Amino acid sequence: MSSSRPRSSSSSASSSASARKRLLISAGVAIAAVTLGIVSWQATAPEDRPARTSSAAAPPKGSDVRAELAKLARREAGDKLAAGRADAPVVLIEYSDFKCGYCGKFARDTEPELVKKYVEDGTLRIEWRNFPIFGADSEAAAKAAWAAGQQDRFAQFHAAAYADGSKEKGFGQARLLELAREAGVPDLERFQRDTAGGAAAAALQKDQEEGYRIGVTSTPSFLVNGQPIAGAQPLDAFAAAITKAKAQAGGQAEPQAAR
């Protein structure tokens, strides 16, 4: 909001510095996306930000691109928003939004099967990235999911938020508290503090910056050991990607240091 008061020279300088910083960040994101060769992630997107329908040819060194993308797996043993062993040979990274209908379809129809078939036997690790693109409600739900995770209830909150018909109820403050109760979050006062706190905002920003840096613009988007998969594909598509990735990994992977 603009103000009628004159701005001091120091505030003007600060504003200019902030503008330059935003420009540099935007340029860096664009350069990184081009460098990694992630030209088109076509899945679902908000109506005012449609996913691109055109697709460019893959860069010549596709295997190098996948290797760089595979390094995005955090493999942190204490990651509250991950499922599966930190040293699993295959890591599926999921960039999702709680208001995304296709994300909900994946969460209800496909993810439980992947957990049952691949996570439980140690083959697969699933790492969640909050990537809200549908406005304030999406961001609020993302922070609430992170907060639920701090009390080891991320999976339960995730299931409740993606239950059939849940997103139609919105993600206002009262609704998020209701979801937390449904998820069995033990300390609701802490949940509310964590949701509104700086740590949740920082975690969300980290996930968003990672996604934008590699060219994610729509949800759901996935990486399977660095191989992009766009949209809520059928179970067979994920099964094939996981099987291939496991074979390429030689059946095991070295855990990376926490970042």
Side-chain angles (χ1 to χ4, degrees):
M1 183 180 294
S2 61
S3 169
S4 59
R5 289 190 236 173
R7 299 161 88 184
S8 67
S9 58
S10 61
S11 64
S12 297
S14 175
S15 177
S16 298
S18 296
R20 286 196 299 273
K21 182 177 180 182
R22 287 195 297 270
L23 182 60
L24 287 172
I25 291 173
S26 297
V29 168
I31 291 169
V34 171
T35 300
L36 290 174
I38 306 305
V39 181
S40 176
W41 291 68
Q42 183 180 346
T44 62
E47 291 181 1
D48 59 341
R49 288 175 55 195
R52 286 184 285 182
T53 56
S54 63
S55 177
K61 296 185 178 180
S63 60
D64 292 343
V65 170
R66 287 194 295 273
E68 288 302 307
L69 292 175
K71 293 178 183 178
L72 294 175
R74 296 171 187 171
R75 295 187 177 276
E76 297 170 358
D79 188 342
K80 302 285 190 178
L81 277 60
R85 293 169 41 175
D87 63 347
V90 184
V91 178
L92 182 152
I93 302 174
E94 175 184 356
Y95 300 87
S96 283
D97 183 321
F98 283 103
K99 286 194 71 177
C100 163
Y102 284 106
C103 299
K105 179 176 176 57
F106 173 80
R108 292 188 300 271
D109 299 345
T110 306
E111 191 167 18
E113 295 301 316
L114 296 179
V115 170
K116 186 185 304 181
K117 186 171 182 180
Y118 299 108
V119 173
E120 291 181 0
D121 75 356
T123 296
L124 179 68
R125 175 177 175 83
I126 299 176
E127 294 188 355
W128 173 270
R129 303 288 191 267
N130 274 308
F131 199 74
I133 57 175
F134 289 93
D137 259 17
S138 291
E139 293 195 3
K143 292 175 182 177
W146 181 89
Q150 303 317 294
Q151 298 186 55
D152 299 316
R153 290 294 186 276
F154 172 75
Q156 293 84 349
F157 186 95
H158 174 278
Y162 276 136
D164 199 12
S166 180
K167 77 181 183 72
E168 284 74 19
K169 298 177 182 179
F171 293 114
Q173 187 174 356
R175 173 61 178 154
L176 292 174
L177 192 57
E178 179 185 343
L179 288 171
R181 288 195 187 96
E182 187 177 339
V185 174
D187 187 339
L188 294 176
E189 289 186 2
R190 178 190 169 189
F191 167 79
Q192 291 177 298
R193 289 195 307 271
D194 285 348
T195 298
L204 174 58
Q205 182 178 6
K206 179 181 179 180
D207 287 354
Q208 287 178 306
E209 287 180 352
E210 177 183 296
Y212 284 126
R213 188 169 70 247
I214 62 171
V216 178
T217 58
S218 55
T219 57
S221 290
F222 306 89
L223 293 173
V224 178
N225 278 15
Q227 177 63 51
I229 296 179
Q233 301 294 329
L235 176 62
D236 287 350
F238 287 96
I242 291 166
T243 299
K244 180 179 179 180
K246 182 181 179 181
Q248 291 173 336
Q252 60 184 18
E254 293 295 329
Q256 297 178 3
R259 298 177 190 177

